[in-house]
Amino acid sequence: MTNSNTETQEIKQLINDLSKQLDKRFDNIDENIQKVQERQARIEGKLEAWEPSIHKITDLAERVGELKNWRQIALIAFAGILGWFLRGRQF
């Protein structure tokens, strides 16, 4: 009986020790999850702050493309007018 009680006590102690270790690990995991969630919240906040600027990039790219087209059109028109004047003038 004494042997059986001792073994039972050891098993109970082992189970308690393992339970404590698991609790510590779960607490550690919970802390890490909390830290990750805080970092994610900060990143999301920054992205929300940058969102209007990000949306403006496509508008700016489109405007630059339009300006480039207008510059080309103006350059072609200027070259055409210049050529017309030069052809009409006699040297």
Side-chain angles (χ1 to χ4, degrees):
M1 279 281 212
T2 308
N3 236 358
S4 173
N5 282 340
T6 307
E7 289 176 356
T8 305
Q9 294 259 345
E10 288 176 4
I11 291 173
K12 284 182 180 180
Q13 185 63 36
L14 181 63
I15 290 172
N16 285 336
D17 291 344
L18 290 174
S19 176
K20 288 178 185 177
Q21 288 177 1
L22 283 175
D23 285 344
K24 287 180 183 178
R25 287 186 180 177
F26 283 132
D27 288 343
N28 190 19
I29 289 172
D30 287 340
E31 288 175 15
N32 288 336
I33 289 173
Q34 183 68 26
K35 288 177 186 177
V36 168
Q37 288 174 340
E38 290 172 1
R39 289 178 183 163
Q40 181 182 1
R42 276 190 260 145
I43 291 170
E44 287 174 354
K46 288 179 182 180
L47 284 176
E48 286 176 6
W50 293 347
E51 189 173 7
S53 299
I54 291 170
H55 288 298
K56 289 180 183 178
I57 290 173
T58 55
D59 293 338
L60 289 174
E62 187 176 324
R63 287 184 183 169
V64 167
E66 289 173 0
L67 288 175
K68 184 179 176 185
N69 291 340
W70 280 109
R71 272 193 244 140
Q72 288 175 344
I73 292 169
L75 184 62
I76 290 170
F78 177 73
I81 292 171
L82 185 63
W84 181 70
F85 276 122
L86 290 177
R87 275 182 290 176
R89 188 166 186 214
Q90 295 180 357
F91 289 100

Coordinates of all heavy atoms in Angstrom, one line a residue:
M1 N 0.8 -1.2 0.0 CA 0.0 0.0 0.0 C 0.9 1.3 0.0 O 0.5 2.2 -0.7 CB -0.9 0.0 1.2 CG -2.1 -0.8 1.1 SD -3.3 0.1 0.2 CE -4.7 -0.5 0.8
T2 N 1.9 1.3 0.8 CA 2.7 2.4 0.9 C 3.4 2.7 -0.4 O 3.5 3.9 -0.9 CB 3.8 2.2 2.0 OG1 3.1 1.8 3.2 CG2 4.6 3.5 2.2
N3 N 3.8 1.7 -1.1 CA 4.5 1.8 -2.4 C 3.5 2.4 -3.4 O 3.8 3.3 -4.2 CB 4.9 0.5 -2.9 CG 6.4 0.5 -3.2 OD1 7.1 1.5 -3.1 ND2 6.9 -0.7 -3.6
S4 N 2.3 1.9 -3.3 CA 1.2 2.4 -4.2 C 0.9 3.9 -4.0 O 0.7 4.7 -4.9 CB 0.0 1.5 -4.1 OG -1.1 2.1 -4.8
N5 N 0.8 4.2 -2.7 CA 0.6 5.6 -2.3 C 1.7 6.6 -2.8 O 1.5 7.7 -3.2 CB 0.4 5.8 -0.8 CG -1.0 5.3 -0.4 OD1 -1.9 5.2 -1.2 ND2 -1.2 5.0 0.9
T6 N 2.9 6.1 -2.6 CA 4.1 6.9 -3.0 C 4.1 7.1 -4.5 O 4.3 8.2 -5.0 CB 5.4 6.2 -2.5 OG1 5.3 5.9 -1.2 CG2 6.6 7.0 -2.8
E7 N 3.8 6.0 -5.2 CA 3.8 6.2 -6.7 C 2.6 7.1 -7.1 O 2.8 7.9 -8.0 CB 3.6 4.8 -7.3 CG 4.9 3.9 -7.2 CD 4.7 2.5 -7.8 OE1 3.5 2.2 -8.2 OE2 5.6 1.8 -7.8
T8 N 1.5 7.0 -6.5 CA 0.4 7.8 -6.8 C 0.7 9.3 -6.5 O 0.4 10.2 -7.3 CB -0.9 7.4 -6.0 OG1 -1.1 6.0 -6.2 CG2 -2.1 8.2 -6.3
Q9 N 1.4 9.5 -5.4 CA 1.8 10.9 -5.0 C 2.8 11.4 -6.0 O 2.7 12.6 -6.4 CB 2.4 10.8 -3.6 CG 1.5 10.5 -2.5 CD 1.1 11.8 -1.8 OE1 1.7 12.8 -1.9 NE2 0.0 11.6 -1.0
E10 N 3.7 10.6 -6.5 CA 4.7 11.0 -7.5 C 4.0 11.3 -8.8 O 4.4 12.3 -9.5 CB 5.8 9.9 -7.7 CG 6.7 9.8 -6.5 CD 7.7 8.6 -6.7 OE1 7.7 8.0 -7.8 OE2 8.5 8.4 -5.8
I11 N 3.1 10.5 -9.2 CA 2.3 10.7 -10.4 C 1.6 12.0 -10.3 O 1.5 12.9 -11.2 CB 1.4 9.6 -10.8 CG1 2.3 8.3 -11.2 CG2 0.5 9.9 -11.9 CD1 1.5 7.1 -11.3
K12 N 0.9 12.3 -9.2 CA 0.2 13.5 -9.0 C 1.1 14.7 -9.0 O 0.8 15.7 -9.6 CB -0.6 13.5 -7.6 CG -1.8 12.6 -7.6 CD -2.5 12.7 -6.2 CE -3.7 11.9 -6.2 NZ -4.4 11.9 -4.9
Q13 N 2.3 14.6 -8.4 CA 3.2 15.7 -8.4 C 3.7 15.9 -9.8 O 3.9 17.1 -10.2 CB 4.4 15.3 -7.5 CG 5.4 16.4 -7.3 CD 4.8 17.7 -6.7 OE1 4.0 17.6 -5.8 NE2 5.2 18.8 -7.1
L14 N 4.0 14.9 -10.6 CA 4.4 15.0 -11.9 C 3.4 15.7 -12.8 O 3.7 16.6 -13.6 CB 4.8 13.6 -12.5 CG 5.3 13.6 -14.0 CD1 6.6 14.3 -14.1 CD2 5.4 12.1 -14.4
I15 N 2.1 15.3 -12.6 CA 1.0 15.9 -13.3 C 0.9 17.4 -13.0 O 0.8 18.3 -13.8 CB -0.3 15.2 -13.1 CG1 -0.3 13.8 -13.7 CG2 -1.5 16.0 -13.6 CD1 -1.4 12.9 -13.4
N16 N 1.1 17.7 -11.7 CA 1.0 19.1 -11.2 C 2.1 19.9 -11.8 O 2.0 21.1 -12.3 CB 1.0 19.2 -9.7 CG -0.3 18.8 -9.1 OD1 -1.3 18.9 -9.7 ND2 -0.3 18.4 -7.8
D17 N 3.3 19.3 -11.8 CA 4.5 20.0 -12.4 C 4.3 20.3 -13.9 O 4.6 21.4 -14.4 CB 5.8 19.2 -12.2 CG 6.2 19.2 -10.7 OD1 5.7 20.0 -9.9 OD2 7.0 18.3 -10.4
L18 N 3.8 19.3 -14.6 CA 3.6 19.4 -16.0 C 2.5 20.5 -16.3 O 2.6 21.3 -17.2 CB 3.2 18.1 -16.7 CG 4.3 17.1 -16.8 CD1 3.8 15.7 -17.3 CD2 5.4 17.6 -17.7
S19 N 1.5 20.5 -15.4 CA 0.4 21.4 -15.6 C 0.9 22.9 -15.4 O 0.6 23.8 -16.1 CB -0.7 21.1 -14.6 OG -1.7 22.1 -14.6
K20 N 1.8 23.0 -14.4 CA 2.4 24.4 -14.1 C 3.2 24.8 -15.3 O 3.2 26.0 -15.7 CB 3.2 24.3 -12.9 CG 2.4 24.3 -11.6 CD 3.3 24.2 -10.4 CE 2.4 24.0 -9.1 NZ 3.2 23.9 -7.9
Q21 N 4.0 23.9 -15.9 CA 4.9 24.2 -17.0 C 4.0 24.6 -18.2 O 4.3 25.6 -18.9 CB 5.8 23.0 -17.4 CG 6.9 22.8 -16.4 CD 7.7 21.6 -16.8 OE1 7.4 20.9 -17.8 NE2 8.7 21.3 -16.0
L22 N 2.9 23.9 -18.4 CA 2.0 24.2 -19.5 C 1.4 25.5 -19.3 O 1.2 26.3 -20.3 CB 0.9 23.1 -19.7 CG 1.4 21.8 -20.4 CD1 0.2 20.8 -20.4 CD2 1.8 22.1 -21.8
D23 N 1.0 25.8 -18.1 CA 0.4 27.1 -17.8 C 1.3 28.3 -18.1 O 1.0 29.3 -18.6 CB -0.1 27.2 -16.3 CG -1.4 26.4 -16.0 OD1 -2.0 26.1 -17.0 OD2 -1.6 26.1 -14.9
K24 N 2.6 28.1 -17.7 CA 3.6 29.1 -18.0 C 3.8 29.3 -19.5 O 3.9 30.4 -20.0 CB 5.0 28.7 -17.4 CG 5.0 28.9 -15.9 CD 6.4 28.4 -15.3 CE 6.4 28.5 -13.8 NZ 7.7 28.1 -13.2
R25 N 3.8 28.2 -20.2 CA 4.0 28.3 -21.7 C 2.8 29.0 -22.3 O 2.9 29.8 -23.2 CB 4.2 26.9 -22.3 CG 5.5 26.3 -22.0 CD 5.8 25.1 -22.7 NE 7.1 24.6 -22.4 CZ 7.6 23.4 -22.8 NH1 6.8 22.6 -23.6 NH2 8.8 23.0 -22.5
F26 N 1.6 28.6 -21.8 CA 0.4 29.3 -22.4 C 0.4 30.7 -22.0 O 0.0 31.6 -22.9 CB -0.9 28.6 -21.9 CG -1.2 27.3 -22.6 CD1 -1.5 26.1 -21.8 CD2 -1.2 27.2 -23.9 CE1 -1.8 24.9 -22.4 CE2 -1.5 26.0 -24.6 CZ -1.8 24.8 -23.8
D27 N 0.8 31.1 -20.8 CA 0.9 32.5 -20.5 C 1.9 33.2 -21.4 O 1.6 34.4 -21.8 CB 1.3 32.7 -19.0 CG 0.2 32.2 -18.0 OD1 -1.0 32.2 -18.5 OD2 0.5 32.0 -16.8
N28 N 3.0 32.6 -21.7 CA 4.0 33.2 -22.5 C 3.4 33.3 -23.9 O 3.6 34.4 -24.6 CB 5.2 32.3 -22.6 CG 6.4 32.9 -23.3 OD1 6.4 34.2 -23.4 ND2 7.4 32.1 -23.7
I29 N 2.7 32.3 -24.4 CA 2.1 32.4 -25.7 C 1.0 33.5 -25.8 O 1.0 34.3 -26.7 CB 1.4 31.1 -26.1 CG1 2.5 30.1 -26.4 CG2 0.5 31.2 -27.3 CD1 2.1 28.6 -26.6
D30 N 0.2 33.7 -24.7 CA -0.7 34.7 -24.6 C -0.1 36.1 -24.7 O -0.6 37.0 -25.3 CB -1.6 34.6 -23.4 CG -2.6 33.4 -23.4 OD1 -2.9 33.0 -24.6 OD2 -3.1 33.0 -22.4
E31 N 1.0 36.3 -24.0 CA 1.8 37.5 -24.0 C 2.3 37.8 -25.4 O 2.2 39.0 -25.8 CB 2.9 37.5 -23.0 CG 2.5 37.5 -21.5 CD 3.7 37.3 -20.6 OE1 4.9 37.5 -21.0 OE2 3.5 37.1 -19.4
N32 N 2.8 36.8 -26.0 CA 3.3 37.0 -27.4 C 2.2 37.4 -28.3 O 2.4 38.3 -29.2 CB 4.1 35.8 -27.9 CG 5.4 35.6 -27.2 OD1 6.0 36.6 -26.7 ND2 5.9 34.4 -27.1
I33 N 1.1 36.8 -28.2 CA -0.1 37.1 -29.1 C -0.5 38.5 -28.8 O -0.8 39.3 -29.8 CB -1.2 36.1 -28.8 CG1 -0.9 34.7 -29.4 CG2 -2.5 36.6 -29.4 CD1 -1.9 33.6 -29.1
Q34 N -0.5 38.9 -27.6 CA -0.9 40.3 -27.2 C 0.1 41.3 -27.9 O -0.4 42.3 -28.4 CB -0.9 40.5 -25.7 CG -1.4 41.8 -25.2 CD -2.8 42.1 -25.5 OE1 -3.6 41.2 -25.6 NE2 -3.2 43.3 -25.7
K35 N 1.4 41.0 -27.8 CA 2.4 41.9 -28.4 C 2.2 42.0 -29.9 O 2.2 43.0 -30.5 CB 3.8 41.4 -28.1 CG 4.2 41.6 -26.7 CD 5.6 41.0 -26.5 CE 6.0 41.1 -25.0 NZ 7.3 40.5 -24.8
V36 N 1.9 40.8 -30.6 CA 1.7 40.8 -32.0 C 0.4 41.6 -32.4 O 0.4 42.4 -33.3 CB 1.6 39.3 -32.5 CG1 1.0 39.3 -33.9 CG2 2.9 38.6 -32.4
Q37 N -0.6 41.5 -31.6 CA -1.8 42.2 -31.8 C -1.6 43.7 -31.7 O -2.1 44.5 -32.5 CB -3.0 41.8 -30.9 CG -3.5 40.4 -31.2 CD -4.5 39.9 -30.2 OE1 -4.5 40.3 -29.1 NE2 -5.3 38.9 -30.6
E38 N -0.8 44.1 -30.7 CA -0.5 45.6 -30.5 C 0.3 46.1 -31.7 O 0.0 47.2 -32.2 CB 0.3 45.8 -29.2 CG -0.5 45.6 -28.0 CD 0.3 45.6 -26.7 OE1 1.5 45.8 -26.8 OE2 -0.3 45.4 -25.6
R39 N 1.3 45.3 -32.2 CA 2.1 45.7 -33.3 C 1.2 45.8 -34.6 O 1.3 46.7 -35.4 CB 3.2 44.7 -33.6 CG 4.3 44.9 -32.5 CD 5.4 43.8 -32.8 NE 6.4 43.9 -31.7 CZ 7.3 43.0 -31.5 NH1 7.3 41.9 -32.2 NH2 8.1 43.1 -30.5
Q40 N 0.3 44.8 -34.7 CA -0.6 44.8 -35.9 C -1.5 46.1 -35.8 O -1.7 46.7 -36.9 CB -1.4 43.6 -35.9 CG -2.4 43.5 -37.1 CD -3.2 42.2 -37.0 OE1 -3.2 41.4 -36.1 NE2 -4.1 42.1 -38.0
A41 N -2.0 46.4 -34.7 CA -2.8 47.6 -34.5 C -2.1 48.9 -34.9 O -2.6 49.8 -35.6 CB -3.4 47.7 -33.1
R42 N -0.8 49.0 -34.5 CA 0.0 50.1 -34.9 C 0.2 50.2 -36.4 O 0.2 51.2 -37.0 CB 1.4 50.1 -34.2 CG 1.3 50.6 -32.8 CD 2.7 50.8 -32.2 NE 2.9 49.6 -31.3 CZ 4.0 49.0 -31.1 NH1 5.1 49.3 -31.7 NH2 4.1 48.0 -30.3
I43 N 0.5 49.0 -37.0 CA 0.7 49.0 -38.4 C -0.6 49.4 -39.2 O -0.5 50.2 -40.1 CB 1.2 47.6 -38.9 CG1 2.6 47.3 -38.4 CG2 1.1 47.4 -40.4 CD1 3.1 45.9 -38.5
E44 N -1.7 48.9 -38.7 CA -3.0 49.2 -39.3 C -3.2 50.7 -39.2 O -3.7 51.4 -40.1 CB -4.1 48.4 -38.7 CG -4.1 47.0 -39.2 CD -5.2 46.1 -38.5 OE1 -5.8 46.6 -37.5 OE2 -5.3 44.9 -38.8
G45 N -2.9 51.3 -38.1 CA -3.1 52.7 -37.9 C -2.2 53.5 -38.8 O -2.7 54.5 -39.4
K46 N -1.0 53.1 -39.0 CA -0.1 53.8 -40.0 C -0.6 53.7 -41.4 O -0.6 54.6 -42.2 CB 1.3 53.2 -39.9 CG 2.1 53.6 -38.6 CD 3.5 53.1 -38.6 CE 4.1 53.4 -37.3 NZ 5.5 52.9 -37.2
L47 N -1.1 52.5 -41.8 CA -1.6 52.3 -43.1 C -2.9 53.1 -43.3 O -3.0 53.7 -44.4 CB -2.0 50.8 -43.3 CG -0.8 49.9 -43.6 CD1 -1.2 48.4 -43.7 CD2 0.0 50.3 -44.8
E48 N -3.7 53.2 -42.3 CA -4.9 54.1 -42.5 C -4.5 55.5 -42.6 O -5.1 56.3 -43.4 CB -5.8 53.9 -41.2 CG -6.6 52.6 -41.2 CD -7.4 52.4 -40.0 OE1 -7.5 53.4 -39.1 OE2 -7.9 51.3 -39.8
A49 N -3.4 56.0 -42.0 CA -2.9 57.3 -42.1 C -2.3 57.6 -43.5 O -2.5 58.6 -44.1 CB -1.9 57.7 -41.0
W50 N -1.7 56.5 -44.0 CA -1.1 56.6 -45.4 C -2.1 56.4 -46.5 O -1.7 56.7 -47.7 CB 0.1 55.6 -45.5 CG 1.2 55.9 -44.6 CD1 1.5 57.0 -43.9 CD2 2.3 55.0 -44.4 NE1 2.7 56.8 -43.2 CE2 3.2 55.6 -43.5 CE3 2.6 53.7 -44.8 CZ2 4.3 55.0 -43.0 CZ3 3.7 53.1 -44.3 CH2 4.6 53.7 -43.4
E51 N -3.2 55.9 -46.2 CA -4.2 55.5 -47.3 C -4.5 56.6 -48.2 O -4.5 56.4 -49.4 CB -5.4 54.9 -46.6 CG -6.3 54.3 -47.7 CD -7.5 53.5 -47.0 OE1 -7.7 53.6 -45.8 OE2 -8.2 52.9 -47.7
P52 N -4.8 57.8 -47.8 CA -5.1 58.9 -48.7 C -4.0 59.2 -49.6 O -4.1 59.4 -50.8 CB -5.4 60.1 -47.8 CG -5.8 59.5 -46.5 CD -5.0 58.2 -46.4
S53 N -2.7 59.1 -49.1 CA -1.5 59.4 -49.9 C -1.4 58.3 -51.0 O -1.0 58.5 -52.1 CB -0.3 59.5 -49.1 OG -0.4 60.5 -48.2
I54 N -1.6 57.0 -50.6 CA -1.5 55.9 -51.5 C -2.5 56.0 -52.6 O -2.2 55.8 -53.8 CB -1.7 54.6 -50.7 CG1 -0.5 54.4 -49.8 CG2 -1.8 53.4 -51.7 CD1 -0.7 53.2 -48.8
H55 N -3.7 56.5 -52.3 CA -4.7 56.6 -53.4 C -4.4 57.8 -54.3 O -4.7 57.7 -55.5 CB -6.1 56.9 -52.8 CG -6.7 55.6 -52.1 ND1 -7.0 54.5 -52.8 CD2 -7.0 55.4 -50.8 CE1 -7.5 53.6 -52.0 NE2 -7.5 54.1 -50.8
K56 N -3.6 58.8 -53.8 CA -3.3 59.9 -54.7 C -2.2 59.5 -55.7 O -2.0 60.2 -56.7 CB -2.8 61.1 -53.8 CG -3.9 61.7 -53.0 CD -3.3 62.9 -52.2 CE -4.5 63.5 -51.4 NZ -3.9 64.6 -50.5
I57 N -1.4 58.5 -55.4 CA -0.3 58.1 -56.3 C -0.9 57.7 -57.7 O -0.3 58.2 -58.7 CB 0.4 56.9 -55.7 CG1 1.2 57.3 -54.5 CG2 1.4 56.3 -56.7 CD1 1.9 56.2 -53.7
T58 N -2.0 57.0 -57.8 CA -2.5 56.7 -59.1 C -3.0 57.9 -59.8 O -2.8 58.1 -61.0 CB -3.7 55.7 -59.0 OG1 -4.7 56.2 -58.1 CG2 -3.2 54.3 -58.4
D59 N -3.6 58.9 -59.1 CA -4.1 60.1 -59.7 C -2.9 60.9 -60.2 O -2.9 61.5 -61.3 CB -4.9 61.0 -58.7 CG -6.2 60.3 -58.3 OD1 -6.7 59.5 -59.1 OD2 -6.7 60.7 -57.2
L60 N -1.8 61.0 -59.4 CA -0.6 61.7 -59.8 C 0.0 61.0 -61.1 O 0.5 61.7 -62.0 CB 0.4 61.8 -58.7 CG 0.0 62.7 -57.5 CD1 1.0 62.6 -56.4 CD2 -0.1 64.1 -58.0
A61 N 0.1 59.7 -61.1 CA 0.7 59.0 -62.2 C -0.2 59.3 -63.5 O 0.4 59.5 -64.6 CB 0.7 57.5 -61.9
E62 N -1.5 59.3 -63.3 CA -2.3 59.6 -64.5 C -2.1 61.1 -65.0 O -2.0 61.3 -66.2 CB -3.8 59.4 -64.1 CG -4.8 59.5 -65.2 CD -6.2 59.2 -64.8 OE1 -6.4 58.3 -63.9 OE2 -7.1 59.9 -65.4
R63 N -2.0 62.0 -64.0 CA -1.8 63.4 -64.4 C -0.5 63.6 -65.1 O -0.3 64.3 -66.1 CB -1.9 64.3 -63.2 CG -3.3 64.4 -62.7 CD -3.4 65.4 -61.6 NE -4.8 65.4 -61.1 CZ -5.2 66.0 -60.0 NH1 -4.3 66.6 -59.2 NH2 -6.4 66.0 -59.6
V64 N 0.6 62.9 -64.6 CA 1.9 63.0 -65.2 C 1.8 62.5 -66.6 O 2.4 63.0 -67.6 CB 3.0 62.3 -64.4 CG1 4.2 62.1 -65.2 CG2 3.2 63.0 -63.1
G65 N 1.1 61.4 -66.8 CA 0.9 60.8 -68.2 C 0.2 61.8 -69.1 O 0.6 62.0 -70.2
E66 N -0.8 62.4 -68.5 CA -1.6 63.4 -69.3 C -0.7 64.6 -69.7 O -0.7 65.1 -70.8 CB -2.8 63.9 -68.6 CG -3.9 62.9 -68.4 CD -5.0 63.4 -67.5 OE1 -4.9 64.5 -67.0 OE2 -6.0 62.6 -67.3
L67 N 0.1 65.1 -68.8 CA 1.0 66.2 -69.0 C 2.1 65.8 -70.1 O 2.4 66.6 -71.0 CB 1.7 66.6 -67.8 CG 0.9 67.4 -66.8 CD1 1.7 67.7 -65.5 CD2 0.4 68.7 -67.4
K68 N 2.5 64.6 -70.0 CA 3.5 64.1 -71.0 C 2.9 64.1 -72.4 O 3.5 64.5 -73.3 CB 3.9 62.7 -70.6 CG 5.0 62.1 -71.5 CD 5.4 60.7 -71.0 CE 6.4 60.1 -72.0 NZ 6.8 58.8 -71.7
N69 N 1.6 63.7 -72.5 CA 0.9 63.7 -73.8 C 0.7 65.1 -74.3 O 0.9 65.4 -75.5 CB -0.4 63.0 -73.7 CG -0.3 61.5 -73.5 OD1 0.7 60.9 -73.7 ND2 -1.3 60.9 -72.9
W70 N 0.4 66.0 -73.4 CA 0.2 67.4 -73.8 C 1.5 68.0 -74.2 O 1.6 68.8 -75.2 CB -0.4 68.2 -72.7 CG -1.9 68.0 -72.6 CD1 -2.6 67.4 -71.7 CD2 -2.9 68.5 -73.6 NE1 -4.0 67.4 -72.0 CE2 -4.1 68.1 -73.2 CE3 -2.8 69.2 -74.8 CZ2 -5.3 68.4 -73.9 CZ3 -3.9 69.5 -75.5 CH2 -5.2 69.1 -75.1
R71 N 2.6 67.7 -73.6 CA 3.9 68.2 -74.0 C 4.3 67.7 -75.3 O 4.8 68.4 -76.2 CB 5.0 67.7 -73.0 CG 5.1 68.7 -71.8 CD 6.4 68.4 -71.0 NE 5.9 68.0 -69.7 CZ 6.4 67.1 -69.0 NH1 7.4 66.4 -69.4 NH2 6.0 66.8 -67.8
Q72 N 4.0 66.4 -75.6 CA 4.3 65.9 -76.9 C 3.4 66.6 -78.0 O 3.9 66.9 -79.1 CB 4.0 64.4 -76.9 CG 5.0 63.6 -76.2 CD 4.7 62.1 -76.1 OE1 3.5 61.7 -76.3 NE2 5.6 61.3 -75.7
I73 N 2.2 66.7 -77.7 CA 1.3 67.4 -78.7 C 1.8 68.8 -78.9 O 1.8 69.3 -80.0 CB -0.2 67.4 -78.1 CG1 -0.7 66.0 -78.2 CG2 -1.1 68.3 -79.0 CD1 -2.0 65.8 -77.4
A74 N 2.1 69.6 -77.8 CA 2.6 70.9 -78.0 C 3.9 71.0 -78.8 O 4.1 71.9 -79.6 CB 2.8 71.6 -76.6
L75 N 4.8 70.0 -78.5 CA 6.1 70.0 -79.3 C 5.8 69.7 -80.7 O 6.4 70.4 -81.6 CB 7.0 68.9 -78.7 CG 8.4 68.8 -79.2 CD1 9.1 70.1 -79.0 CD2 9.1 67.6 -78.6
I76 N 4.9 68.8 -81.1 CA 4.6 68.5 -82.5 C 4.0 69.7 -83.1 O 4.3 70.1 -84.3 CB 3.7 67.2 -82.6 CG1 4.5 66.0 -82.2 CG2 3.1 67.1 -84.0 CD1 3.6 64.8 -82.0
A77 N 3.1 70.4 -82.4 CA 2.4 71.5 -83.0 C 3.4 72.7 -83.2 O 3.4 73.3 -84.3 CB 1.3 72.0 -82.1
F78 N 4.3 72.9 -82.3 CA 5.4 73.9 -82.4 C 6.3 73.6 -83.6 O 6.6 74.5 -84.4 CB 6.2 74.0 -81.1 CG 7.3 75.0 -81.2 CD1 7.0 76.3 -81.2 CD2 8.6 74.5 -81.2 CE1 8.1 77.2 -81.2 CE2 9.6 75.4 -81.3 CZ 9.4 76.8 -81.3
A79 N 6.7 72.3 -83.7 CA 7.5 71.9 -84.8 C 6.8 72.1 -86.1 O 7.4 72.5 -87.1 CB 8.0 70.5 -84.6
G80 N 5.5 71.8 -86.2 CA 4.7 72.0 -87.4 C 4.6 73.4 -87.8 O 4.8 73.8 -89.0
I81 N 4.4 74.3 -86.8 CA 4.2 75.7 -87.1 C 5.6 76.3 -87.5 O 5.7 77.1 -88.5 CB 3.7 76.5 -85.8 CG1 2.2 76.1 -85.6 CG2 3.8 78.0 -86.0 CD1 1.7 76.5 -84.3
L82 N 6.6 75.9 -86.8 CA 8.0 76.3 -87.2 C 8.3 75.9 -88.6 O 8.9 76.6 -89.4 CB 9.0 75.8 -86.2 CG 10.4 76.2 -86.3 CD1 10.5 77.7 -86.2 CD2 11.3 75.5 -85.4
G83 N 8.0 74.6 -88.9 CA 8.3 74.1 -90.3 C 7.5 74.9 -91.3 O 7.9 75.2 -92.4
W84 N 6.2 75.2 -91.0 CA 5.4 76.0 -91.9 C 6.0 77.4 -92.2 O 6.0 77.8 -93.3 CB 4.0 76.1 -91.3 CG 3.0 76.8 -92.2 CD1 2.4 76.4 -93.3 CD2 2.4 78.1 -91.9 NE1 1.6 77.3 -93.8 CE2 1.5 78.4 -93.0 CE3 2.6 79.0 -90.9 CZ2 0.8 79.6 -93.0 CZ3 1.9 80.2 -91.0 CH2 1.0 80.4 -92.0
F85 N 6.4 78.0 -91.1 CA 7.1 79.3 -91.3 C 8.3 79.3 -92.1 O 8.6 80.1 -93.0 CB 7.4 80.0 -90.0 CG 6.2 80.7 -89.4 CD1 5.7 80.4 -88.1 CD2 5.6 81.8 -90.0 CE1 4.7 81.0 -87.5 CE2 4.5 82.4 -89.5 CZ 4.0 82.1 -88.2
L86 N 9.1 78.2 -91.8 CA 10.4 78.1 -92.6 C 10.2 77.8 -94.0 O 10.9 78.2 -94.9 CB 11.3 77.0 -91.9 CG 11.8 77.4 -90.5 CD1 12.6 76.2 -90.0 CD2 12.7 78.6 -90.6
R87 N 9.2 77.0 -94.3 CA 8.9 76.7 -95.7 C 8.4 77.9 -96.5 O 8.6 78.1 -97.7 CB 7.9 75.5 -95.8 CG 8.5 74.2 -95.7 CD 7.5 73.1 -95.9 NE 6.7 73.2 -94.6 CZ 5.6 72.5 -94.3 NH1 5.2 71.7 -95.2 NH2 5.0 72.7 -93.2
G88 N 7.6 78.7 -95.8 CA 7.0 79.9 -96.5 C 8.1 81.0 -96.7 O 7.9 81.9 -97.5
R89 N 9.1 80.9 -95.9 CA 10.1 82.0 -96.0 C 11.1 81.6 -97.1 O 11.6 80.5 -97.1 CB 10.8 82.1 -94.7 CG 11.7 83.3 -94.6 CD 12.0 83.6 -93.2 NE 12.8 84.8 -93.2 CZ 13.7 85.0 -92.3 NH1 14.0 84.1 -91.4 NH2 14.4 86.1 -92.4
Q90 N 11.5 82.5 -97.9 CA 12.5 82.2 -98.9 C 13.9 82.8 -98.5 O 14.0 83.8 -97.9 CB 12.1 82.9 -100.2 CG 10.9 82.3 -100.8 CD 10.5 82.9 -102.1 OE1 11.1 83.9 -102.5 NE2 9.4 82.4 -102.7
F91 N 14.9 81.9 -98.7 CA 16.2 82.4 -98.3 C 16.9 83.0 -99.4 O 17.1 82.7 -100.5 CB 17.0 81.2 -97.8 CG 16.5 80.7 -96.4 CD1 15.7 79.6 -96.3 CD2 16.9 81.4 -95.3 CE1 15.3 79.2 -95.1 CE2 16.5 81.0 -94.1 CZ 15.7 79.9 -93.9

